[in-house]
Amino acid sequence: MLFQKSSQNPHHQKEEEQRYIHIIRVGSLKMDDKWREAAPVNDIEASSWIRIFRAFDTDHDGLIQCEEMQKTIRDSTYSFGFDHYELQKMSLYLEMREGKPVDFADFCYLMSKCKGYRLREYLFKAALTVTPRNQRIHVFSELQRYKCVPPPLFLIFLSIVQLAFYLYYVIDSSEGVWLSGPIPTMSPLIVSQFHLSELWRLVTYCLINVGIFHVIFNIIIQLAVGVPLELVHTWRIYILYLMGALFGSLLSLALDPTVFLCGGAAGSFAIIGSHLTTIVTNFKEMENATIRLPFLIVFAALDYALAVYQRFFAPRIDKVSMYGHIGGLVAGILFTFILFRGSKPSRFYTVSFWVSLVLSGFYIAICIALTVAPSLLH
């Protein structure tokens, strides 16, 4: 509703005015007859930022020039819900951008930073690292409404459990901390050809890591890349990780059945494969793509090289398969197109969805056939 003069007492009128921010204009920045009522001030960050941004994005290109925005917030401070101190902070941040245009993701981050919404500022900053620019309006609109229910704790909790299991087996085996052990061959969680009927092992093996480097590698990937992805994609990351573990165990049983399989690398490589696929298919739209892409490839290659060493050259009898990494990587690539299609998928993503779905079915069927074929022939 538009503000009207009231006969209420000044204190009550002040409280009433604080419940609403000034009406904002839609369309031109110049005075015209198109107006929209804004949301309550304590919910502006949750429901009105996209409307404010679009109101001042006059050419509808998804960008506001810094000079234009500085003038806008000076002329319409009340529309942004700013006090004098917040206005000064926003002006300073815009000057620090040195003329770089502001897209909606930048707008949300700057608004949360200026208004002191620390949690939301961190959420936006994390989402910036894994979201292409052409998908940020939808993602950041959803993040504005995000109440941390459910909180992004799946990969954090998983990392804690993996570390706890590793320390337990280090103490239990008396092997100490080193690159190629311990390998708890009697654990009810790892994959073994002697326990094919115990289907839970096909995913629970990811809780048991071999060697300190694998532990550190998996935790870094799960927290640095996985948690921002979980924040943006929520439950889809659970499926991605579990399918990475499943693809890894199936491939290992099919191609390398005589050794054990344990470690969280399949799930971590699913996260890496998914993120690399997003970077490659949206290279110009990703934040720091030229740095992130080679870094992830080199980091993953080091972990895989260690897995190859442990499989063929480590001085121990009980070996661990290296095929979990490959299976996880394949799952990450395929399920990126299955799970993360975006709010308005293009024809490319629609075709990729069906192709990936069919290929995933073939992958599972072929791995199962190769696993059971020897026993059927005998």
Side-chain angles (χ1 to χ4, degrees), residues 197-239:
S197 61
E198 299 174 359
L199 298 180
W200 67 83
R201 292 173 179 260
L202 296 177
V203 292
T204 57
Y205 75 91
C206 68
L207 300 175
I208 312 296
N209 285 286
V210 177
I212 186 62
F213 182 83
H214 286 309
V215 176
I216 295 173
F217 171 83
N218 291 326
I219 290 177
I220 288 175
I221 293 299
Q222 287 163 187
L223 298 184
V225 182
V227 170
L229 285 172
E230 183 182 353
L231 176 67
V232 172
H233 300 294
T234 59
W235 58 268
R236 295 177 181 85
I237 287 299
Y238 314 157
I239 297 177

Side-chain angles (χ1 to χ4, degrees), residues 5-50:
K5 292 184 179 180
S6 172
S7 58
Q8 303 174 55
N9 62 67
H11 177 71
H12 183 74
Q13 185 173 1
K14 183 177 181 180
E15 290 181 344
E16 190 70 20
E17 289 178 355
Q18 288 177 344
R19 293 178 54 213
Y20 297 95
I21 64 171
H22 194 273
I23 51 178
I24 63 173
R25 286 170 283 132
V26 179
S28 173
L29 290 177
K30 296 181 179 179
M31 186 70 70
D32 57 32
D33 58 352
K34 299 174 71 176
W35 300 83
R36 181 182 295 179
E37 183 185 359
V41 130
N42 57 358
D43 286 334
I44 181 174
E45 76 279 11
S47 61
S48 293
W49 287 0
I50 183 64

Side-chain angles (χ1 to χ4, degrees), residues 11 41 48 127 138 242 266 270 284 287 290 310 316 361 370 376:
H11 177 71
V41 130
S48 293
H138 171 73
L242 292 176
K284 294 182 179 180
E287 203 84 14
T290 54
Q310 291 173 339
R316 58 185 310 148
L370 292 175
L376 292 177

Side-chain angles (χ1 to χ4, degrees), residues 4-133:
Q4 296 178 347
K5 292 184 179 180
S6 172
S7 58
Q8 303 174 55
N9 62 67
H11 177 71
H12 183 74
Q13 185 173 1
K14 183 177 181 180
E15 290 181 344
E16 190 70 20
E17 289 178 355
Q18 288 177 344
R19 293 178 54 213
Y20 297 95
I21 64 171
H22 194 273
I23 51 178
I24 63 173
R25 286 170 283 132
V26 179
S28 173
L29 290 177
K30 296 181 179 179
M31 186 70 70
D32 57 32
D33 58 352
K34 299 174 71 176
W35 300 83
R36 181 182 295 179
E37 183 185 359
V41 130
N42 57 358
D43 286 334
I44 181 174
E45 76 279 11
S47 61
S48 293
W49 287 0
I50 183 64
R51 295 200 297 269
I52 294 176
F53 181 82
R54 285 175 173 165
F56 297 112
D57 176 21
T58 54
D59 54 3
H60 309 294
D61 64 347
L63 297 171
I64 302 177
Q65 299 300 321
C66 276
E67 293 183 0
E68 178 184 340
M69 187 168 174
Q70 284 180 309
K71 180 179 184 301
T72 298
I73 61 174
R74 285 196 299 268
D75 295 344
S76 308
T77 302
Y78 202 29
S79 297
F80 286 84
F82 284 159
D83 58 25
H84 179 72
Y85 175 68
E86 292 166 347
L87 173 64
Q88 296 300 319
K89 287 172 65 177
M90 177 62 85
S91 298
L92 176 62
Y93 292 140
L94 290 174
E95 288 177 6
M96 292 171 61
R97 292 181 64 85
E98 298 179 346
K100 182 181 178 182
V102 178
D103 63 13
F104 182 63
D106 297 325
F107 180 79
C108 290
Y109 177 70
L110 290 173
M111 288 285 284
S112 60
K113 195 172 181 66
C114 289
K115 297 183 75 64
Y117 300 140
R118 291 296 179 86
L119 176 60
R120 188 151 295 163
E121 175 188 340
Y122 297 144
L123 296 182
F124 288 144
K125 192 170 185 177
L128 277 171
T129 63
V130 296
T131 308
R133 291 185 182 88

